[in-house]
């Protein structure tokens, strides 16, 4: 089997901008808190990869990512054993991606209070 190719976040981002697919192997609850903000990505949790790996185009350059780079290494090994020679591992996952200032998406935080309260300030005490 070939050696796993580790790619820095900056190099991964450049690859994605040139058409590579990012496959995030984290669980949905992790992605809901913070995700890669790239135009072409898919979520296939590592726990489902053995069932869903054929959804990944085998002939397309693919960056496999997770939180810290551990699960993605496992995923790349699995994919390579199934003929995916263009899969690479994102070094240190979304942790390093974010540290390097690359785009991430976070959920919008709900503001407390009604629109009326925000418009007119605090509620006056009931007299």
């Amino acid at each position: 089997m070939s050696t796993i190719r580790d790619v820095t976040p900056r190099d991964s981002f450049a690859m994605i901008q040139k058409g590579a697919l990012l496959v995030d192997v984290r669980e949905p609850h992790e992605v809901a808190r913070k995700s890669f903000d790239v135009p072409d990505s898919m979520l296939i949790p590592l726990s489902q990869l053995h069932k869903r790996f054929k959804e990944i185009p085998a002939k397309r350059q693919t960056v496999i990512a997770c939180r810290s780079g551990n699960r993605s290494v496992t995923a790349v090994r699995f994919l390579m054993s199934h003929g995916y020679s263009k899969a690479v591992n994102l070094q240190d996952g979304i942790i390093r991606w974010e540290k390097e200032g690359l785009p991430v998406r976070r959920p919008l935080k709900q503001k407390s209070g009604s629109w009326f309260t925000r418009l007119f300030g605090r509620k006056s005490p009931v007299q």
Side-chain angles (χ1 to χ4, degrees):
M1 181 169 17
S2 301
T3 305
I4 291 175
R5 183 173 158 219
D6 289 319
V7 182
T8 67
R10 292 226 174 264
D11 289 342
S12 296
F13 188 62
M15 290 169 62
I16 292 163
Q17 289 180 314
K18 292 177 183 173
L21 172 67
L22 182 128
V23 177
D24 194 333
V25 296
R26 295 176 299 150
E27 294 297 319
H29 70 275
E30 295 174 276
V31 175
R33 288 189 301 249
K34 182 185 340 177
S35 62
F36 295 92
D37 192 4
V38 296
D40 201 6
S41 65
M42 64 187 330
L43 172 63
I44 301 180
L46 185 60
S47 61
Q48 298 174 12
L49 187 63
H50 68 285
K51 294 178 190 173
R52 297 183 52 201
F53 73 92
K54 291 183 181 179
E55 295 175 29
I56 303 168
K59 296 184 187 227
R60 186 170 176 192
Q61 187 71 51
T62 307
V63 176
I64 309 299
C66 66
R67 188 183 78 78
S68 65
N70 293 323
R71 285 175 283 181
S72 55
V73 166
T74 301
V76 171
R77 275 194 196 110
F78 175 83
L79 291 170
M80 290 176 76
S81 74
H82 285 83
Y84 285 74
S85 60
K86 295 189 175 204
V88 298
N89 178 54
L90 172 61
Q91 283 180 337
D92 305 314
I94 199 166
I95 292 172
R96 183 168 166 195
W97 176 278
E98 186 175 30
K99 280 183 182 175
E100 292 192 12
L102 296 170
V104 295
R105 193 176 314 134
R106 294 179 187 273
L108 294 175
K109 293 190 178 188
Q110 295 285 348
K111 291 185 179 182
S112 61
S114 70
W115 66 271
F116 185 82
T117 303
R118 288 193 306 273
L119 184 61
F120 294 105
R122 297 192 183 267
K123 296 178 188 177
S124 59
V126 178
Q127 297 181 5

